């Protein structure tokens, strides 16, 4: 076989873009990774500039998203490896971190990751008290006590004998 | 670096200030919501008014069909002490169906239950949509009964053996959905002692198979034939039952139609130690033992049994019984030849101490209703 692998890391000269977070940190990302985000792909199609400033994603979150994009853009990795990477990616992450991640993936339109993160968030939300949900999402309860009691009464079937968690 | 970190934590994040979780993050919230069920879904609703508005106005129990959580069936059974019904799917969910007061389940298929309240009052019920379809009244109660397909489809029929049947004569009742009256028929059941299995008849390739209590011979009802001789076929004693040596008393039998075949699940020995799955050989008229179920798993209950093709690894080659160890569901692995907890570490060879939900039925939401 004498074909040359154009995708090989040594032969291909990869184009890169610079992505800047809202706190000013810059990340060098291969274009093949960046275009996995539908939003970044659109931006790159529209402008010559190789610097993209994201005013609403912090550096910590952006670093995670870029790690995800780079892994998924790596042709050398099998689909199985990418899948296990996805599982690893969300496991053990704090709820707060996932909240920023899901917003960032929504903004950047990284559908697959957005879906994975939302599922992980739902997993954590299971068996939690409504107070926990409000606290974690910084939600003000705008129900009147009567309205809240009425909803609980109507949905009484849903509260079983499982222990609810509030940690 | 530590200073940077602190600054990073303290600075207001624009993402959070611009977009509030209580307001217009509808799409993300819908995505999260699609993974929450039952109580957790209600918690979501309770968080605040705008979150409540994200909840679609779908029926009470809207488990998203695409969700991996509901790719597998749940076991539904009545909690006899109250009007509550329990749905088991890794956890218990308590459902209130006032319309099902004093009703019992006879058969389950394609996401629908065939139930009755008293002798003559038969109806279909879908616990997922709470849809109820009433059947015309019938004078006698059924000993065992089944239906062929989703009752919303025009070719659905209900067929059963009536309770007043004797060993010599059998009384049948059947109806096509949409018809106003039951068709009642009586046939000679042959001179031999014949006691029907309590399992519902099995509809397979257009005819109904009614097995006897030890599963060795059966009667066939063919609704397509006009003359008595071919409409009710008496099949003789099948001597060669299977190659299985432990052919003792069958403490439990279940039958399922699987892709044009009939599979039987037989539990022998009083500690329910021996479980075999056998396929009916139509040509030789005998059961043939299956070594494994391939990519299938079986959901068995006295109110009907069915096979599922397992998309998720680890589920295949197992039999999900309507049995519990405490609050955990039990399945039997044909690989290990042991009973296991559906979730958790537990393995044993016999079924001692397990609770059986005799009035329960496995049910799976189907696409057409969701």
């Amino acid at each position: 076989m004498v074909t040359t692998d154009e995708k090989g890391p040594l032969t291909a000269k990869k184009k890169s873009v610079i992505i800047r977070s809202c706190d000013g940190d810059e990340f060098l990302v291969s274009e093949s990774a960046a275009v996995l985000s539908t939003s970044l792909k659109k931006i790159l199609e529209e402008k010559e500039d190789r610097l993209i400033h994201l005013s609403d994603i912090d550096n910590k979150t952006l670093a995670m998203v870029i790690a995800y994009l780079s892994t998924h853009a790596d042709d050398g990795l099998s689909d199985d490896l990418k899948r296990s990477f996805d599982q690893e990616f969300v496991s053990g992450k704090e709820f707060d971190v996932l909240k920023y991640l899901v917003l960032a993936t929504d903004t950047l339109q990284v559908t697959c990751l957005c879906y994975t993160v939302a599922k992980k968030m739902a997993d954590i939300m299971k068996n939690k008290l409504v107070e926990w949900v409000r606290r974690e999402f910084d939600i003000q309860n705008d129900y009147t006590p009567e309205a809240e009691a009425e909803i609980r009464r109507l949905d009484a079937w849903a509260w079983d004998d499982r222990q609810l968690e509030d940690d | 670096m530590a200073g940077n970190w602190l600054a990073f934590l303290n600075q207001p994040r624009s993402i959070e200030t611009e977009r509030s979780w209580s307001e217009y993050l509808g799409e993300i919230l819908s995505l999260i919501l699609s993974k929450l069920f039952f109580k957790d879904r209600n918690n979501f609703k309770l968080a605040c008014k705008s979150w409540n508005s994200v909840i679609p106005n779908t029926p009470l129990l809207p488990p998203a069909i695409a969700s991996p959580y509901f790719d597998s069936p749940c076991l539904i059974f009545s909690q006899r002490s109250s009007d509550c019904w329990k749905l088991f799917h890794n956890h218990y969910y308590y459902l209130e169906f006032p319309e099902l007061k004093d009703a019992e389940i006879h058969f389950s298929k394609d996401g629908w239950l065939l139930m009755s309240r008293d002798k003559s009052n038969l109806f279909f019920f879908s616990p997922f949509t709470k849809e109820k379809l009433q059947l015309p009244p019938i004078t006698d109660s059924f000993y065992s009964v089944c239906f062929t397909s989703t009752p919303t489809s025009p070719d659905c029929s209900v067929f059963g053996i009536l309770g007043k049947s004797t060993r010599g004569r059998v009384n049948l009742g059947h109806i096509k959905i949409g018809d106003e009256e039951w068709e009642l028929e009586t046939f000679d059941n042959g001179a031999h002692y014949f006691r029907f299995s309590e399992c519902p008849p099995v509809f397979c390739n257009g005819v109904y198979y009614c097995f006897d209590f030890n599963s060795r011979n059966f009667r066939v009802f063919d609704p397509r034939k006009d003359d008595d001789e071919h409409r009710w076929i008496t099949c003789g004693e099948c001597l060669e039952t299977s190659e299985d040596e432990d052919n003792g008393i069958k403490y439990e039998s279940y039958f399922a139609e699987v892709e044009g075949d009939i599979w039987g699940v037989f539990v022998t020995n009083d500690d329910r130690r021996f479980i075999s799955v056998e396929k009916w050989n139509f040509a030789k008229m005998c059961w043939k033992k299956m070594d494994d179920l391939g990519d299938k798993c079986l959901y068995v209950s006295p109110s009907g049994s069915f096979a599922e093709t397992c998309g998720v690894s680890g589920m295949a080659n197992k039999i999900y019984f309507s049995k519990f160890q405490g609050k955990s569901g039990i399945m039997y692995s044909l690989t290990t030849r042991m009973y296991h907890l559906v979730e958790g570490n537990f393995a044993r060879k016999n079924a001692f101490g397990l609770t059986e939900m005799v009035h329960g039925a496995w049910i799976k939401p189907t696409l057409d209703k969701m």
Side-chain angles (χ1 to χ4, degrees):
Chain A
M1 293 289 273
V2 283
T3 50
T4 42
D5 182 10
E6 291 185 3
K7 287 171 182 170
L10 294 173
T11 49
K13 200 174 179 189
K14 283 184 178 167
K15 280 192 195 169
S16 298
V17 287
I18 295 164
I19 302 174
R20 188 189 287 155
S21 70
C22 66
D23 14 33
D25 286 5
E26 291 181 356
F27 297 84
L28 189 67
V29 186
S30 76
E31 196 175 298
S32 62
V35 295
L36 292 179
S37 145
T38 311
S39 309
L40 291 180
K41 186 167 183 253
K42 275 185 202 149
I43 295 173
L44 288 170
E45 278 164 5
E46 281 164 18
K47 64 179 214 171
E48 294 287 295
D49 197 356
R50 296 283 104 180
L51 176 72
I52 298 171
H53 180 65
L54 297 170
S55 60
D56 54 3
I57 299 177
D58 62 85
N59 58 6
K60 194 175 147 204
T61 307
L62 186 58
M64 287 187 275
V65 178
I66 288 172
Y68 173 91
L69 294 177
S70 304
T71 306
H72 279 259
D74 189 340
D75 293 330
L77 297 177
S78 69
D79 286 349
D80 273 350
L81 273 171
K82 285 176 187 172
R83 263 195 293 277
S84 56
F85 170 85
D86 291 358
Q87 287 309 312
E88 288 283 308
F89 189 79
V90 289
S91 77
K93 283 206 172 31
E94 303 232 329
F95 198 73
D96 219 30
V97 175
L98 295 172
K99 265 163 45 189
Y100 288 117
L101 257 177
V102 82
L103 292 175
T105 54
D106 182 54
T107 307
L108 292 171
Q109 297 179 55
V110 189
T111 321
C112 238
L113 183 57
C114 188
Y115 195 78
T116 309
V117 175
K119 183 181 179 303
K120 178 70 185 173
M121 288 172 79
D123 284 344
I124 296 175
M125 286 165 72
K126 275 172 199 157
N127 291 339
K128 295 291 195 287
L129 287 170
V130 66
E131 288 76 17
W132 183 94
V133 176
R134 287 183 190 135
R135 197 167 59 238
E136 285 296 319
F137 285 97
D138 197 19
I139 291 171
Q140 286 298 316
N141 178 12
D142 55 359
Y143 284 114
T144 61
E146 294 78 29
E148 188 173 335
E150 178 64 7
I151 292 182
R152 283 186 187 271
R153 192 185 66 79
L154 288 174
D155 294 332
W157 57 269
W159 274 268
D160 61 19
D161 53 359
R162 275 185 293 161
Q163 210 56 42
L164 295 170
E165 295 160 19
D166 190 23
D167 47 28
Chain B
M1 198 58 201
N4 279 349
W5 180 246
L6 206 62
F8 166 69
L9 279 179
N10 289 336
Q11 74 180 40
R13 300 204 196 186
S14 55
I15 200 162
E16 194 87 330
T17 49
E18 279 172 25
R19 309 167 77 188
S20 158
W21 280 104
S22 62
E23 281 159 27
Y24 60 99
L25 290 163
E27 267 180 47
I28 297 175
L29 289 178
S30 299
L31 199 54
I32 294 173
L33 181 69
S34 72
K35 300 286 169 198
L36 296 173
F37 302 101
F38 304 108
K39 183 178 57 49
D40 299 314
R41 206 173 171 92
N42 284 276
N43 255 346
F44 187 100
K45 188 197 283 189
L46 267 180
C48 65
K49 285 179 187 169
S50 57
W51 278 37
N52 191 0
S53 66
V54 173
I55 305 236
N57 278 333
T58 42
L60 189 62
L61 282 179
I65 192 69
S67 152
Y69 295 97
F70 277 87
D71 270 1
S72 58
C74 4
L75 186 71
I76 186 167
F77 52 96
S78 161
Q79 206 186 356
R80 297 258 150 176
S81 53
S82 70
D83 289 343
C84 264
W85 289 71
K86 274 186 182 177
L87 197 65
F88 176 79
H89 192 275
N90 296 336
H91 295 291
Y92 286 108
Y93 299 99
Y94 286 56
L95 317 168
E96 254 178 49
F97 295 128
E99 59 269 59
L100 298 187
K101 194 172 163 45
D102 300 326
E104 58 179 303
I105 302 173
H106 293 283
F107 190 70
S108 162
K109 191 175 188 175
D110 293 347
W112 285 86
L113 302 171
L114 179 60
M115 306 182 77
S116 74
R117 183 162 294 118
D118 49 58
K119 276 187 171 188
S120 60
N121 180 354
L122 260 91
F123 59 91
F124 288 104
F125 185 76
S126 161
F128 302 103
T129 60
K130 294 179 98 183
E131 243 178 303
K132 192 176 168 187
L133 300 170
Q134 190 70 43
L135 281 163
I138 183 161
T139 47
D140 195 11
S141 61
F142 280 106
Y143 174 74
S144 66
V145 62
C146 72
F147 59 92
T148 59
S149 54
T150 314
T152 47
S153 79
D155 41 279
C156 172
S157 295
V158 180
F159 166 85
I161 299 161
L162 292 165
K164 66 180 175 191
S165 302
T166 59
R167 281 167 194 171
R169 290 193 74 71
V170 62
N171 293 276
L172 308 174
H174 60 101
I175 192 168
K176 201 168 179 328
I177 296 303
D179 289 353
E180 285 175 11
E181 274 186 45
W182 288 87
E183 276 189 60
L184 302 175
E185 294 181 54
T186 306
F187 293 101
D188 188 351
N189 215 6
H192 298 291
Y193 175 85
F194 191 93
R195 205 177 94 209
F196 285 104
S197 160
E198 288 176 16
C199 292
V202 178
F203 181 72
C204 185
N205 304 322
V207 300
Y208 299 91
Y209 290 81
C210 310
F211 287 90
D212 79 343
F213 77 104
N214 65 5
S215 319
R216 292 169 78 175
N217 57 59
F218 58 94
R219 304 290 183 253
V220 178
F221 179 72
D222 189 341
R224 300 164 301 189
K225 299 282 171 24
D226 291 327
D227 59 310
D228 278 13
E229 199 186 333
H230 294 101
R231 204 167 161 83
W232 182 249
I233 305 161
T234 302
C235 296
E237 184 87 4
C238 139
L239 294 171
E240 188 192 354
T241 50
S242 80
E243 310 94 77
D244 202 357
E245 299 84 38
D246 35 74
N247 220 331
I249 299 168
K250 294 190 172 84
Y251 283 87
E252 292 167 36
S253 306
Y254 307 93
F255 304 104
E257 187 271 335
V258 184
E259 294 169 0
D261 280 316
I262 296 175
W263 291 11
V265 177
F266 305 114
V267 184
T268 48
N269 208 25
D270 61 356
D271 66 358
R272 314 290 198 261
R273 185 182 295 266
F274 301 116
I275 296 180
S276 67
V277 182
E278 299 174 20
K279 189 188 278 190
W280 182 255
N281 184 322
F282 291 97
K284 291 185 179 168
M285 298 289 241
C286 69
W287 292 103
K288 174 109 175 94
K289 194 169 179 179
M290 297 169 70
D291 291 328
D292 65 76
L293 310 182
D295 62 348
K296 297 271 192 296
C297 61
L298 280 164
Y299 289 85
V300 301
S301 75
S303 315
S305 307
F306 52 87
E308 285 280 305
T309 305
C310 306
V312 183
S313 64
M315 284 184 76
N317 209 27
K318 295 185 173 64
I319 303 169
Y320 291 81
F321 283 97
S322 52
K323 291 180 182 179
F324 287 87
Q325 160 78 25
K327 292 193 144 199
S328 302
I330 288 287
M331 47 92 171
Y332 182 86
S333 162
L334 285 161
T335 313
T336 63
R337 297 264 158 206
M338 280 200 267
Y339 290 93
H340 299 271
L341 282 187
V342 173
E343 281 186 336
N345 287 321
F346 172 91
R348 65 149 77 137
K349 285 198 153 70
N350 60 56
F352 280 138
L354 301 184
T355 327
E356 189 173 359
M357 297 298 160
V358 282
H359 301 289
W362 287 102
I363 185 165
K364 188 184 174 183
T366 49
L367 268 174
D368 68 308
K369 310 178 286 84
M370 303 308 291

